[in-house]
Amino acid sequence: MNLPDIQPPQVDWASGAFADGPLLSKSTRLRDLAGIFADEPARQQLPGEQVIYDVEMLATSPAEGELYTGVTHLYPGRVGGEYFMTRGHFHARREQGEVYFGLRGNGLLLLQNEQGEARLEKVFTGSVHIIPGFTAHRLINTGGEVLSALAVWPGVAGHDYAALANGFALRVMVSSEGWEVHHD
Ligand code: PAN
Ligand code: ZN
């Protein structure tokens, strides 16, 4: 008699790499991020095909009550004086929260509520981030290495990028201290 296959999906905690599929993956390139960084001319001078972040997700059910699991790999770099970051979003289903786990690298998680109040949390190996409902979120890589974070969120949450068309209330810029906050 054959033993049943009881092998679950597997992630390498050090790198955030999933062992094998089924996976969905998406690369976000500089050309996809028009208008996201403060210095748009600087963005246009960099190669549009450059990948800023990769997301890998387990191909699980999007049904009500089910959860998605994915890893974001945000590469190190700057556009003008601003660190590479994800586009950032509210969930389309605003009440749905999410948990991020820092795996490698150093960065920040920018959180902003619907009143436009923003705050930052440091992201590092072992950091745990409870993103409440009604809260937009963006990763920022302030280090010199890849910033990888595991995320778990409801399959029904969806993404609302349009609600942040005017950007977040603060930006994280390069400074002699490493980084500093600028308010638009
Ligand atoms: C993450 C993000 C991922 C990419 O999986 O979708 O980090 O960021 P953007 O979606 O803002 O481009 C998540 O928060 N899912 O809900
Ligand atoms: Zn999200």
Side-chain angles (χ1 to χ4, degrees), residues 17 48 92 130 154 158 178:
I130 310 296

Side-chain angles (χ1 to χ4, degrees), residues 137-149:
H137 39 287
R138 160 182 279 171
L139 282 170
I140 303 164
N141 188 347
T142 56
E145 313 294 329
V146 183
L147 179 69
S148 296

Side-chain angles (χ1 to χ4, degrees), residues 25-92:
S25 51
K26 182 183 173 200
S27 297
T28 299
R29 300 168 191 275
L30 262 183
R31 65 165 173 262
D32 303 319
L33 296 172
I36 295 296
F37 295 94
D39 191 343
E40 178 61 15
R43 186 195 66 83
Q44 288 175 9
Q45 277 164 18
L46 294 167
E49 68 275 13
Q50 187 175 344
V51 176
I52 307 304
Y53 54 100
D54 285 311
V55 178
E56 288 206 311
M57 278 176 62
L58 299 177
T60 54
S61 167
E64 183 88 40
E66 306 292 342
L67 297 170
Y68 279 154
T69 304
V71 173
T72 299
H73 302 287
L74 175 58
Y75 301 105
R78 301 156 181 196
V79 176
E82 193 170 15
Y83 288 110
F84 280 4
M85 58 193 182
T86 59
R87 177 180 295 275
H89 59 273
F90 281 102
H91 289 153

